[in-house]
């Protein structure tokens, strides 16, 4: 998913799409450091924000956190800051669907 990020951002540039990466773990399964975040962005050529998180953000009930059950998980948030779609896993066609549907819901 990370290697395809810039293609997605470029494809939807006219739609004002924003893409934010949140790393939950580094390669050792620990909360990422700033060096991990910078390395991730550099390795994959990502110009969009790469933020650090940790497993404390995960709440399977989704009452006090994010219901993340797999990596990667994509969340489509409308321009009104409402969660529109949540998708686990990755394929280019599903990301395009998520982007198209979220942009349409924002209009």
């Amino acid at each position: 998913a990370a290697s395809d990020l810039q293609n997605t951002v470029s494809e939807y540039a006219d739609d004002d799409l924003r893409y934010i990466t949140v790393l939950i773990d580094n390669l050792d399964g620990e909360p990422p450091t700033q060096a991990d975040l910078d390395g991730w962005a550099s390795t994959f050529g990502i110009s969009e924000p790469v933020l650090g998180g940790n497993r404390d953000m995960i709440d399977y009930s989704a009452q006090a956190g994010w219901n993340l059950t797999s990596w990667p998980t994509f969340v489509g948030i409308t321009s009104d800051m409402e969660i529109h779609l949540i998708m686990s896993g990755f394929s280019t066609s599903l990301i395009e669907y998520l982007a198209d549907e979220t942009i349409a819901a924002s209009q």
Side-chain angles (χ1 to χ4, degrees):
S3 62
D4 196 47
L5 171 60
Q6 283 309 125
N7 292 335
T8 303
V9 170
S10 296
E11 183 177 332
Y12 289 92
D14 292 341
D15 297 302
D16 201 26
L17 176 74
R18 297 292 184 256
Y19 192 116
I20 298 169
T21 299
V22 180
L23 291 182
I24 302 296
D25 291 333
N26 65 15
L27 295 176
D28 298 320
E30 300 292 328
T33 65
Q34 187 62 51
D36 294 324
L37 303 176
D38 294 342
W40 186 268
S42 176
T43 297
F44 295 104
I46 298 172
S47 63
E48 301 294 303
V50 178
L51 307 176
N54 61 50
R55 289 184 179 258
D56 291 339
M57 297 172 64
I58 300 171
D59 174 13
Y60 298 113
S61 71
Q63 297 298 310
W66 294 93
N67 181 12
L68 302 179
T69 57
S70 67
W71 280 225
T73 296
F74 297 88
V75 180
I77 300 174
T78 67
S79 58
D80 294 331
M81 301 304 292
E82 294 180 8
I83 294 175
H84 179 64
L85 290 171
I86 298 174
M87 183 181 80
S88 296
F90 173 76
S91 81
T92 301
S93 61
L94 286 176
I95 293 302
E96 290 170 355
Y97 173 80
L98 176 75
D100 291 339
E101 290 297 311
T102 302
I103 289 166
S106 295
Q107 297 174 347

